[in-house]
Amino acid sequence: MTISNSKPPAPRAATPAKVMPFPGRIPERLVGVGFRCWLTGFDTGDVSAWEEAWTVYQATLGTDLAKPLLLELSQFVRAVKTNCSREIEVYPAGCLGFCRDECLAISVIAASQHDRRPELRACTAALTGTDDIGDALFGAQRFAASLREARQILSASSICPANCPLWHPRNKFS
């Protein structure tokens, strides 16, 4: 493998058709930005994406809470990426809103925190594009529990219902 000083390829850019800003909701922002940064880091190998996640978490929560949350975030994103049967899209760093897949990740964590199992399963299946969601569910539940312990509770209104415009028509899981 050769190492180049050139910039890594840009992350898969999502089409800016649906943006959900979650104004004022710190827990949703932590999940959305964290998911975006961690997935971008996995896809590009660019450490600066993970550093951005660290900066956001550390500035919001402090070092002691940020460390374990980022560990759980990384395991959640890795489980989603490993079990995915489709390409996940994220917005580039710095975008204020969230695209469809970022909203689905937020919805997965919110559904886990609020014990909304049908929505949890449906959102996880929509995010990964498969019915094989066991590892992603496990990662989501651990991350959601860690956020809860850090007093970062996502709003139940962040859970996307099955008839939400974020759903792809072929994803009809319960």
Side-chain angles (χ1 to χ4, degrees):
M1 180 171 126
T2 59
I3 298 177
S4 169
N5 288 335
S6 65
K7 218 174 188 178
R12 293 177 304 268
T15 306
K18 177 71 175 167
V19 177
M20 297 188 72
F22 295 104
R25 293 291 309 156
I26 291 172
E28 282 79 359
R29 181 173 178 269
L30 288 172
V31 173
V33 169
F35 184 80
R36 172 187 297 159
C37 291
W38 225 263
L39 187 63
T40 299
F42 280 146
D43 284 349
T44 65
D46 184 2
V47 172
S48 68
W50 295 327
E51 289 170 345
E52 181 182 344
W54 167 254
T55 299
V56 169
Y57 275 64
Q58 193 273 335
T60 304
L61 304 169
T63 302
D64 291 341
L65 290 176
K67 284 180 182 180
L69 282 175
L70 284 175
L71 175 63
E72 295 299 339
L73 168 69
S74 71
Q75 293 174 345
F76 165 59
V77 175
R78 183 179 302 278
V80 168
K81 185 168 174 51
T82 300
N83 293 291
C84 215
S85 68
R86 65 181 199 82
E87 197 167 303
I88 296 178
E89 297 178 336
V90 295
Y91 279 159
C95 284
L96 298 179
F98 298 107
C99 69
R100 174 193 183 273
D101 291 342
E102 293 164 337
C103 289
L104 282 170
I106 292 167
S107 185
V108 166
I109 301 305
S112 182
Q113 282 188 335
H114 292 280
D115 199 29
R116 302 264 299 271
R117 292 173 192 227
E119 291 92 341
L120 173 60
R121 294 185 61 76
C123 289
T124 305
L127 181 61
T128 61
T130 181
D131 287 329
D132 185 14
I133 59 174
D135 291 341
L137 282 177
F138 181 73
Q141 290 169 329
R142 288 187 53 141
F143 181 43
S146 293
L147 284 165
R148 180 179 293 283
E149 288 172 19
R151 298 179 187 197
Q152 298 300 311
I153 311 297
L154 282 74
S155 171
S157 66
S158 296
I159 302 168
C160 184
N163 62 356
C164 175
L166 296 177
W167 292 91
H168 187 281
R170 70 176 174 81
N171 293 330
K172 296 179 182 175
F173 305 102
S174 58

